[in-house]
């Protein structure tokens, strides 16, 4: 590709297309310069096509991961409905108990007992966290989980693509 950098892309594509139609005898019939030009053009075009295919694959993998993350969020939202009801019920119970003018020790005992009966503090914290996460409509929190499974493939694709900075700077 270095030897063809001064040749227009369209010309390289034309030479590559012509080279595709040739067999070994056809190649041997043309001058050595033409032969190498055809072969180099074909290699250059095939490498460019391969890079484009790899780029497309990378984009598709990321798009699939986004769709899967959105699906995960939707499932969480669907599953959080029961948690919302449980949490609202607990809040209602606590609010009603607090409204009754009792001593605070008795109130604290009732709240503690109710939380224990609903699975304990960690369970209630998990339910509340799930409700807040699910209702945030932010699927990107699940995206890293989806991309993590494809991490080595993504790095292989990025390495194969040899991405460069869009600027001319070497830094």
């Amino acid at each position: 590709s270095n030897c063809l950098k001064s040749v227009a892309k369209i010309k390289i594509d034309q030479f590559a297309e012509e080279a595709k139609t040739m067999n070994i005898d056809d190649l041997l019939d043309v001058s050595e310069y033409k032969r190498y030009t055809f072969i180099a053009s074909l290699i250059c075009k095939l490498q460019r096509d391969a890079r484009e295919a790899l780029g497309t694959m990378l984009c598709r993998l990321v798009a699939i991961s986004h769709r899967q993350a959105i699906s995960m969020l939707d499932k969480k939202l669907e599953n959080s409905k029961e948690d919302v009801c449980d949490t609202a019920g607990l809040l209602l119970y606590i609010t009603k108990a607090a409204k009754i003018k009792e001593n605070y020790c008795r109130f604290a005992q009732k709240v503690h007992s109710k939380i224990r009966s609903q699975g304990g503090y960690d369970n209630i914290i998990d339910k509340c966290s799930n409700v807040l996460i699910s209702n945030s409509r932010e699927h990107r929190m699940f995206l890293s989980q989806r991309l993590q499974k494809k991490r080595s493939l993504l790095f292989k694709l990025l390495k194969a693509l040899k991405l460069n900075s869009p600027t001319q700077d070497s830094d």
Side-chain angles (χ1 to χ4, degrees):
S1 61
N2 263 351
C3 60
L4 297 175
K5 68 180 173 185
S6 63
V7 180
K9 182 182 172 241
I10 193 148
K11 266 307 201 191
I12 293 172
D13 290 348
Q14 288 172 349
F15 292 148
E17 286 304 313
E18 194 170 340
K20 277 186 196 178
T21 65
M22 300 175 108
N23 61 33
I24 191 70
D25 292 328
D26 296 332
L27 278 172
L28 292 173
D29 285 343
V30 296
S31 72
E32 187 176 349
Y33 294 117
K34 268 191 170 181
R35 184 179 323 133
Y36 287 129
T37 302
F38 286 146
I39 292 170
S41 297
L42 182 60
I43 290 170
C44 183
K45 179 161 179 6
L46 291 174
Q47 286 176 335
R48 190 173 58 238
D49 291 350
R51 277 193 304 274
E52 286 177 15
L54 290 173
T56 300
M57 184 186 301
L58 177 67
C59 291
R60 282 186 182 151
L61 283 171
V62 171
I64 288 168
S65 295
H66 271 278
R67 284 194 301 274
Q68 289 171 338
I70 290 168
S71 176
M72 288 174 73
L73 178 64
D74 290 343
K75 283 181 189 166
K76 270 257 194 237
L77 185 57
E78 184 63 35
N79 293 339
S80 77
K81 289 179 182 174
E82 188 178 327
D83 289 343
V84 169
C85 290
D86 291 347
T87 306
L90 177 63
L91 182 59
L92 179 64
Y93 175 84
I94 291 171
T95 305
K96 283 181 176 178
K99 187 176 178 182
I100 299 171
K101 303 291 184 207
E102 295 183 20
N103 72 35
Y104 288 107
C105 289
R106 180 77 183 120
F107 168 71
Q109 287 173 344
K110 280 184 170 183
V111 169
H112 182 72
S113 175
K114 184 68 172 177
I115 289 174
R116 267 199 334 254
S117 74
Q118 290 198 0
Y121 289 97
D122 289 336
N123 185 45
I124 299 298
I125 289 169
D126 287 345
K127 282 183 178 185
C128 289
S129 295
N130 282 337
V131 166
L132 292 172
I133 287 170
S134 300
N135 287 284
S136 71
R137 297 305 304 164
E138 187 53 61
H139 75 280
R140 285 179 283 189
M141 65 183 62
F142 300 107
L143 187 58
S144 64
Q145 180 183 348
R146 301 306 313 161
L147 289 174
Q148 187 67 31
K149 293 179 179 184
K150 300 171 183 143
R151 187 172 189 261
S152 70
L153 177 59
L154 291 170
F155 278 120
K156 286 177 185 174
L157 283 171
L158 288 171
K159 186 177 180 182
L161 286 170
K162 296 179 184 173
L163 298 177
N164 297 322
S165 170
T167 64
Q168 297 298 326
D169 298 339
S170 59
D171 326 317

